Amino acid sequence: MADDPGSAYYYQPEVSRLQVLLEEVTRAKPGSPETRFVSPDTESIDRLGSSFHHVLYGRRGTGKSSLLRRIEADRKSSGQMVAWADQETFKGLSYPDVLVGTLAEVFGQFAAQLEGRVAGRQKKRFWHRDNPSPEQLLAGELHQAVEALVELQKAPSESEIEWTESYSNEVNITAEGTVSVSGGHGGLSGNVGQKKGRSSKKAQQGAVAHRYSATKKEHLERALSNYRLLMLAVGGLAPDSFIILDDFYHLSRADQPNIAGYFHRVVKDTGIWLKFGSISLWTRLYAGGNPPVGLQAPHDIRDLSLDRGLREFKNSKRFLETILDRLCEECEVQRKSLFTDGALDRLVLAAGGVPRDYIGLVSESISSAKNRGPSGKSGSERIIAEDINSAAGKTVDTKYSDMREDAGGYSDDLHGLVIALTDHCRNTKSSCFLIDSSNTELVDMTNRLQNMRFVHLVATNETVPNQASDRYNVYVLDVSLLAAQRAWQVDFMGWETRAGRRARKLIFDGKPAAPSAGLDDIDIAQDDSRAIVSDVEA
């Protein structure tokens, strides 16, 4: 380390403040400053905020929750209501308890927001017993529904329940616990008539009480019409409100169609819209069958994706650096004084275009530069590509840990594939590799690794000279895997040009490539000036 550590910009106090901020913003939180949000594109916000059901797909860290939080803030500022249910909270529950818990969370949030509306109008005295408002009445009914759901979740799989069918002049309702909603032929007027109690003695106009034993699933089916009335009342008071089910992929894929389908039936034609945040490979919203279960795209729900990654390297770089600039401005840090141009390019590559990984690597690379210290080497007073490589190598253990958690029975196979791909890239001296798109099993396994950020897709339908009409998917091995093994003689960026990703030896068929003596051994296609970029970073 140099005698004067202050000569390096990364030792400045404002850079230390930036590191603290980088750690704070790695997770989307409600109420984050507007200046920290960077939209991936205008189309995503416009479509996600429209009156239709949507599922927003993206790998971990791509910004799904941040974008959904922005939609939540926009919707609330416009006077609508938003219920947010983080599905990771319920992943330890089995079906149907996971559905029961999610319904209780959604109804409880709507009730609280209705009460908040009244509190805003009546600051001195919220509850007027003699003349309650429609919001107060509906909030009370929602709280009753939450209490019933909590009791149902605690109950055994099959339990006894008393069911009351009540009849009013305007609406015929079959409901658990009886709910009366005043309305006409044109829909709800927004008035909610309270009916306390569960016996026929307190029901108006006429009621019949039934006592029976049923499973939790049957309880939920009988209660669905009641829940629809509640959501219809919510939609009448706050049209175009949203229910956001984030991190939906945490739930069992076998249960996902049932949960999505139940919510769809509850909100259908109520003016309330569903927004899911999930990972495509681990999501199943539709199961078909007779009758079909779930939401089918594009008829019932539309797909949106944030998985751009390295396929649009320049756009991803511009987007990620805009995020970094917002954070640097908040801490009064000059990005150009902190990073070399090569380090900024390597950051995007090492992060695979994923915002959360990018932010984490920025923080780790600052620490790596501080540990290294300035030297006589040009650029050492700033963060260089070497620091990015060092920071990336430290993320391998975390990624393997995530693999063991997320891959289930595929964990061993995927781990073996990672080793084979790493050997292949070291032998070919290129981080880029090709897989025949007709090899569906290998493509599927590699795509699983992409969702876990071990590899990154950069092109599809690529051809290789003299390989007939075969089509290939082109991937880049994550920098962390090569950095962990200090494989510095590997070309990291040759894939940017089409010529650089079409060499035959880059084809991976599931087995490690034969050891290569150097770049000269790579077959160069006759119509390509250079299939592999020959200059590599030491």
Side-chain angles (χ1 to χ4, degrees):
M1 183 177 294
D3 294 335
D4 182 14
S7 62
Y9 187 65
Y10 42 75
Y11 286 125
Q12 299 305 308
E14 57 267 31
V15 176
S16 296
R17 292 198 298 271
L18 175 62
Q19 280 190 284
V20 174
L21 181 59
L22 289 165
E23 293 180 2
E24 292 178 350
V25 301
T26 52
R27 290 286 181 178
K29 304 178 186 69
S32 296
E34 287 279 330
T35 54
R36 292 181 186 171
F37 177 78
V38 179
S39 172
D41 55 69
T42 304
E43 179 186 356
S44 296
I45 287 186
D46 290 344
R47 290 184 62 191
L48 197 58
S50 65
S51 298
F52 202 82
H53 304 307
H54 289 99
V55 54
L56 179 65
Y57 288 126
R59 290 178 293 169
R60 280 179 168 175
T62 51
K64 300 183 298 298
S65 296
S66 295
L67 185 53
L68 288 169
R69 285 295 184 192
R70 176 59 183 269
I71 295 299
E72 176 191 31
D74 290 348
R75 186 90 345 203
K76 286 183 175 180
S77 67
S78 300
Q80 285 83 19
M81 299 196 301
V82 178
W84 181 293
D86 185 347
Q87 297 298 274
E88 186 176 6
T89 306
F90 305 102
K91 69 178 183 179
L93 298 176
S94 58
Y95 187 83
D97 285 339
V98 60
L99 175 57
V100 174
T102 305
L103 286 167
E105 179 74 17
V106 168
F107 294 166
Q109 288 191 30
F110 277 147
Q113 290 172 48
L114 287 166
E115 292 169 342
R117 285 183 165 203
V118 178
R121 296 197 304 262
Q122 304 170 348
K123 294 182 179 179
K124 293 184 179 180
R125 188 179 180 189
F126 166 59
W127 189 262
H128 291 261
R129 294 181 183 276
D130 296 334
N131 188 26
S133 68
E135 289 93 342
Q136 291 169 329
L137 290 169
L138 180 54
E141 299 297 350
L142 286 165
H143 281 309
Q144 287 187 27
V146 171
E147 291 174 5
L149 286 164
V150 171
E151 290 301 317
L152 181 60
Q153 194 173 48
K154 295 177 182 177
S157 298
E158 183 172 329
S159 58
E160 189 175 79
I161 189 171
E162 183 176 292
W163 196 273
T164 302
E165 295 177 355
S166 66
Y167 305 90
S168 68
N169 290 329
E170 294 178 297
V171 180
N172 185 355
I173 304 170
T174 300
E176 181 180 0
T178 76
V179 173
S180 175
V181 182
S182 300
H185 296 297
L188 293 182
S189 64
N191 296 320
V192 181
Q194 260 187 327
K195 287 187 178 178
K196 301 275 187 178
R198 297 177 179 270
S199 68
S200 58
K201 293 180 181 179
K202 293 186 179 180
Q204 299 175 3
Q205 303 295 337
V208 179
H210 306 278
R211 184 174 291 277
Y212 62 90
S213 294
T215 64
K216 291 184 179 182
K217 292 180 184 179
E218 290 169 330
H219 292 332
L220 288 170
E221 287 301 318
R222 284 186 168 92
L224 191 142
S225 58
N226 178 33
Y227 298 155
R228 284 201 73 252
L229 287 171
L230 292 175
M231 292 301 98
L232 192 59
V234 170
L237 293 173
D240 293 325
S241 293
F242 287 176
I243 294 174
I244 298 178
L245 304 179
D246 193 26
D247 286 345
F248 198 70
Y249 66 92
H250 279 294
L251 305 182
S252 167
R253 289 185 80 248
D255 297 335
Q256 289 174 11
N258 293 311
I259 297 165
Y262 191 92
F263 266 96
H264 184 224
R265 289 187 290 156
V266 166
V267 303
K268 187 175 182 180
D269 299 326
T270 65
I272 297 177
W273 306 99
L274 300 173
K275 308 293 176 178
F276 297 84
S278 199
I279 295 176
S280 178
L281 185 64
W282 299 330
T283 304
R284 185 184 180 217
L285 296 178
Y286 182 73
N290 186 20
V293 178
L295 291 88
Q296 185 178 27
H299 311 295
D300 304 317
I301 192 168
R302 305 277 169 79
D303 296 349
L304 295 172
S305 178
L306 295 180
D307 279 325
R308 293 171 178 83
L310 300 181
R311 298 182 69 176
E312 302 176 19
F313 186 85
K314 291 182 179 179
N315 289 336
S316 293
K317 185 174 187 288
R318 188 181 304 113
F319 171 59
L320 294 173
E321 289 181 358
T322 302
I323 294 175
L324 179 57
D325 285 341
R326 296 279 180 90
L327 300 175
C328 285
E329 289 171 9
E330 193 169 330
C331 299
E332 300 182 338
V333 170
Q334 301 297 319
R335 173 170 60 86
K336 289 289 187 179
S337 299
L338 185 59
F339 293 92
T340 64
D341 290 340
L344 289 170
D345 285 342
R346 184 60 54 86
L347 264 175
V348 180
L349 178 65
V354 176
R356 188 188 299 161
D357 290 351
Y358 182 88
I359 291 171
L361 285 171
V362 170
S363 180
E364 280 294 334
S365 65
I366 294 173
S367 296
S368 294
K370 288 179 177 179
N371 290 332
R372 165 180 56 79
S375 64
K377 185 176 180 181
S378 175
S380 66
E381 73 283 355
R382 293 188 289 171
I383 296 170
I384 58 178
E386 177 184 320
D387 300 317
I388 311 302
N389 292 338
S390 176
K394 297 175 182 178
T395 67
V396 172
D397 289 341
T398 300
K399 290 182 178 181
Y400 275 123
S401 178
D402 289 343
M403 174 190 286
R404 288 190 292 271
E405 179 181 344
D406 297 335
Y410 290 95
S411 178
D412 291 342
D413 291 339
L414 290 175
H415 189 273
L417 181 56
V418 169
I419 294 173
L421 285 170
T422 305
D423 288 343
H424 176 83
C425 289
R426 293 183 68 184
N427 290 333
T428 61
K429 299 192 181 302
S430 171
S431 65
C432 173
F433 62 94
L434 287 70
I435 292 180
D436 192 330
S437 58
S438 65
N439 190 341
T440 55
E441 182 177 355
L442 185 55
V443 168
D444 178 68
M445 294 290 284
T446 308
N447 286 340
R448 289 177 182 273
L449 290 180
Q450 183 185 209
N451 274 333
M452 299 172 186
R453 297 153 10 254
F454 282 95
V455 302
H456 309 285
L457 181 69
V458 295
T460 57
N461 284 323
E462 186 59 272
T463 58
V464 174
N466 304 323
Q467 290 292 112
S469 59
D470 295 337
R471 300 282 174 169
Y472 296 88
N473 291 345
V474 184
Y475 301 87
V476 172
L477 189 67
D478 192 72
V479 170
S480 64
L481 298 169
L482 297 169
Q485 298 192 30
R486 304 187 64 80
W488 306 134
Q489 297 303 316
V490 170
D491 175 19
F492 285 90
M493 298 299 295
W495 55 270
E496 280 195 292
T497 64
R498 188 170 181 229
R501 58 177 182 253
R502 299 183 69 209
R504 288 190 295 275
K505 280 198 173 181
L506 298 182
I507 298 172
F508 177 75
D509 59 4
K511 300 177 182 179
S516 174
L519 292 172
D520 294 337
D521 291 340
I522 301 294
D523 287 344
I524 305 298
Q526 293 179 357
D527 59 346
D528 292 335
S529 58
R530 23 182 239 172
I532 290 293
V533 180
S534 58
D535 48 324
V536 299
E537 288 193 20

